[in-house]
């Protein structure tokens, strides 16, 4: 069953390593005290993703309404009674560390990891943070107890391989709590742009079936898998379209992409074609919430 969720919208401190030396592979510190993985991917897609999320760092929390709802639902899957204070957790795709703060109240040590260094710097939270590419995960095998990732793994260049990397990094009995955007998302924006041309203006996302197959192929036991549709509502189509940029989610992961900026008249044409519900512009996200375990 699909649950409908609605929302109403209209200086890094000096960090120290946690006492688990076997957890991390080679990393180095940048001039601002943030740890950076030395092999961060340099392909164009990663650079674009990194740039877009870095630009959105300051206003991300204000606009990430759906992400907050998904995070809340993902936290409900965590058993907080299982001696978690002795466990090491990685917040993968941590963004501005909003969820990292909540994870610190559950687990003994939390590592915030993100591709965007600006995102990691935007919080003064006292925790280890690493700027790294999830597709080149700087974690030793069997080194962490928990991986938490909210609204991030859809940016992986190879989801199947990423799941294998996460499985490898977890200790036996380790848990992964993941939310990821799947196909069917932001179709309202896709519909609006279809009135302009035949090019794609939004990302393509993996199917729910592919997600489930990939985690099982990696070796995970699926303790829970739920599909949820979260919907943001805006007073105008323009605000709905701008909401995607405000959270940095404008990187397009395919070749059939329109190049160049929209003219004012083209943008108006897109807004006129935006499907409205009760005179409101909605943006819906189809999301799979996963609770996984390594046996």
């Amino acid at each position: 069953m699909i649950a409908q969720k609605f929302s109403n919208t209209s200086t890094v401190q000096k960090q120290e390593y946690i006492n688990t030396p076997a957890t991390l592979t080679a990393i180095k510190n940048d001039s601002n005290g943030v740890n950076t993985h030395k092999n961060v991917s340099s392909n164009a897609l990663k650079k674009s993703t990194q740039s877009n999320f870095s630009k959105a760092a300051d206003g991300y929390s204000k606009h990430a309404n759906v992400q907050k709802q998904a995070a809340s639902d993902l936290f409900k899957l965590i058993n907080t009674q299982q001696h978690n204070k002795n466990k090491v957790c990685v917040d993968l795709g941590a963004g501005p560390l909003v969820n990292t703060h909540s994870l610190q109240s559950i687990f003994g040590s939390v590592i915030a990891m993100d591709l965007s260094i600006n995102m990691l710097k935007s919080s003064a939270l006292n925790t280890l943070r690493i700027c790294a590419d999830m597709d080149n995960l700087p974690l030793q095998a069997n080194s962490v107890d928990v991986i938490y990732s909210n609204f991030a793994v859809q940016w992986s260049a190879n989801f199947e391989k990423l799941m294998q990397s996460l499985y490898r990094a977890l200790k036996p009995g380790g848990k992964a709590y993941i939310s990821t955007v799947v196909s069917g998302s932001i179709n309202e924006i896709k519909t609006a742009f279809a009135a302009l041309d035949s090019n794609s203006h939004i990302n393509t996302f993996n199917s729910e079936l592919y997600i489930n197959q990939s985690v099982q192929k990696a070796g995970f036991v699926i303790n829970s898998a739920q599909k949820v549709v979260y919907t943001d509502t805006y007073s105008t189509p323009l605000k709905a379209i701008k909401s995607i940029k405000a959270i940095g989610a404008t990187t397009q992961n395919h070749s059939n992409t329109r190049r160049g900026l929209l003219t004012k008249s083209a943008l108006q044409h897109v807004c006129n074609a935006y499907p409205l519900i009760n005179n409101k512009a909605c943006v819906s996200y189809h999301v799979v919430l996963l609770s996984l375990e390594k046996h």
Side-chain angles (χ1 to χ4, degrees):
M1 178 179 295
I2 297 177
Q4 293 286 348
K5 303 279 184 175
F6 296 91
S7 66
N8 296 318
T9 63
S10 344
T11 3
V12 176
Q13 299 173 349
K14 181 180 179 181
Q15 306 298 324
E16 296 182 357
Y17 290 98
I18 55 176
N19 190 26
T20 51
T23 300
L24 304 174
T25 58
I27 56 177
K28 60 183 179 180
N29 292 330
D30 75 350
S31 59
N32 295 288
V34 177
N35 302 305
T36 54
H37 186 211
K38 67 179 181 179
N39 292 318
V40 172
S41 173
S42 61
N43 65 61
L45 176 61
K46 292 294 181 180
K47 284 186 176 181
S48 180
T49 302
Q50 184 179 46
S51 175
N52 288 333
F53 278 103
S54 292
K55 291 175 182 177
D58 291 340
Y60 182 88
S61 295
K62 177 182 177 181
H63 296 280
N65 304 294
V66 165
Q67 289 83 338
K68 292 173 186 176
Q69 293 179 28
S72 177
D73 287 341
L74 203 55
F75 272 109
K76 294 174 184 176
L77 300 179
I78 300 175
N79 187 336
T80 59
Q81 306 302 318
Q82 295 184 343
H83 309 290
N84 289 325
K85 290 300 181 181
N86 297 321
K87 295 181 178 179
V88 176
C89 173
V90 173
D91 185 2
L92 184 63
L97 278 63
V98 174
N99 297 322
T100 308
H101 181 266
S102 298
L103 290 167
Q104 283 185 328
S105 67
I106 302 174
F107 301 106
S109 301
V110 181
I111 303 169
M113 188 177 297
D114 201 273
L115 183 64
S116 167
I117 198 166
N118 284 1
M119 284 285 191
L120 293 172
K121 290 177 181 178
S122 65
S123 169
L125 187 67
N126 183 23
T127 193
L128 175 66
R129 45 195 97 190
I130 302 172
C131 184
D133 182 357
M134 68 176 72
D135 290 324
N136 191 15
L137 203 65
L139 296 174
Q140 299 281 11
N142 305 310
S143 63
V144 298
D145 301 285
V146 178
I147 294 173
Y148 177 97
S149 183
N150 182 56
F151 255 73
V153 297
Q154 65 268 12
W155 302 113
S156 170
N158 189 327
F159 181 82
E160 185 176 299
K161 183 178 179 181
L162 172 61
M163 290 301 103
Q164 294 168 2
S165 296
L166 298 187
Y167 187 89
R168 178 178 175 273
L170 285 168
K171 298 176 182 178
K175 305 288 181 63
Y177 303 96
I178 296 170
S179 72
T180 182
V181 180
V182 296
S183 56
S185 297
I186 56 179
N187 269 352
E188 300 88 354
I189 293 178
K190 180 179 180 180
T191 297
F193 275 99
L196 181 64
D197 55 42
S198 60
N199 293 315
S200 179
H201 294 263
I202 64 171
N203 284 307
T204 57
F205 298 104
N206 293 318
S207 68
E208 181 182 4
L209 177 61
Y210 176 76
I211 297 296
N212 288 332
Q213 289 176 337
S214 296
V215 298
Q216 291 181 76
K217 185 175 181 180
F220 281 110
V221 173
I222 302 177
N223 292 329
S224 175
Q226 179 187 13
K227 184 179 178 182
V228 184
V229 178
Y230 300 97
T231 303
D232 251 342
T233 57
Y234 297 87
S235 58
T236 67
L238 183 59
K239 289 182 179 180
I241 294 169
K242 286 184 175 180
S243 72
I244 305 299
K245 184 177 181 179
I247 60 172
T250 51
T251 303
Q252 297 187 41
N253 54 2
H254 48 76
S255 59
N256 183 27
T257 302
R258 185 184 190 276
R259 301 298 178 184
L261 299 174
L262 291 179
T263 64
K264 186 176 181 180
S265 60
L267 182 57
Q268 186 59 54
H269 188 57
V270 171
C271 289
N272 291 340
Y274 203 101
L276 301 179
I277 299 177
N278 297 324
N279 293 319
K280 299 291 184 180
C282 297
V283 182
S284 60
Y285 294 82
H286 294 234
V287 179
V288 170
L289 304 173
L290 297 167
S291 172
L292 309 174
E293 185 171 355
K294 176 179 179 177
H295 279 183

